[in-house]
Amino acid sequence: MLKLYGIELQSRLLLGTAQYPSPAVLTTAVRASRAQIVTVSLRRESGGERAGQGFWSIIRELGVRVLPNTAGCHSVKEAVTTAQMAREVFNTNWIKLEVIGDEDTLQPDLFGLVEAAKLLAADGFEVFPYTTEDLVAAARLLDAGCRVLMPWGAPIGTGLGLNNLLGLKTLRARYPDVPLIIDAGIGVPSHAARAMEIGFDAVLINTAVARAVDPARMAEAFAQAVEAGHAAFLAGPMEPRDQATPSTPVIGKAFLS
Amino acid sequence: MRILVNGAWRDTGATNLEAALEELGYGDSVVATALNGEFIPVPSRTAVWLAEGDRLEVLAPMQGG
């Protein structure tokens, strides 16, 4: 069973809550995904409209655990302050830590990420850092107190899948006991299945579900893919080989020519 | 006095943060606050005094990935 900071979870699919065409579609997609964790954020609230209050009641009714993010933060201070505000509003020590370093690729600023992770871990946060497959960054994040890592598959929102398969496999092999969640870049269920087949513990999906023509159906498809991929990992896939080998026994074949 | 609330100038007669939030219409909303870039937890709101030109951020739960 998946265990994140001491919390046991049946589902290995985490779902983002952004970009859905309507709150109703979001609700049906979350249910269809069977996700037990959804990501949320903090944004400016108008005293007149109070849009955030309605959203928050929808999430609470779903009965899922929330993982607040620091999306859009470009500095350590911004990310740490946002995390502190998120802890109060969402009443959780969990924080998906994003410190964005490049505006085009939304690549994390690994230096700022490590610094922010240190500060937050020392302040009692349980940090889920949005990182890359970089091995040295992983080591530093673990030193900083992170007990989960969330490497990207591809840049956020691209749907390109697992851009650096070798790098991700190497990260998995280096840290067999650290929960690793692919965060960002997954486009279709086969990408998620692939991540699970190579031994990742979970995947976090947002755009691929929210921007599907039928988000609820896509959420269900991802749920199945994640389960299938994880089952395949546990079953131990065969080693690929370059030469064809008949699967049907040759011995005993009739001589008919 | 005038303070910057979520990037827009607002006039307020309130002197402390708690009273300003009430006056600005947040009432019992679930929001977190930061004043001049520093997080102000709920229990501290009544003890935090506002000054002309203060930058107040009022954030609430929102969709996120």
Side-chain angles (χ1 to χ4, degrees), chain A residues 184-209:
Chain A
I186 300 279
V188 286
S190 56
H191 295 155
R194 186 82 179 107
M196 300 305 293
E197 284 163 5
I198 62 172
F200 279 80
D201 294 281
V203 295
L204 168 52
I205 314 283
N206 192 160
T207 311
V209 168

Side-chain angles (χ1 to χ4, degrees), chain A residues 131-161:
Chain A
T131 183
T132 69
E133 67 279 7
D134 189 285
L135 279 184
V136 182
R140 298 287 184 273
L141 288 166
L142 295 171
D143 286 346
C146 298
R147 295 289 168 263
V148 175
L149 299 177
M150 300 183 83
W152 64 354
I156 298 171
T158 60
L160 291 171

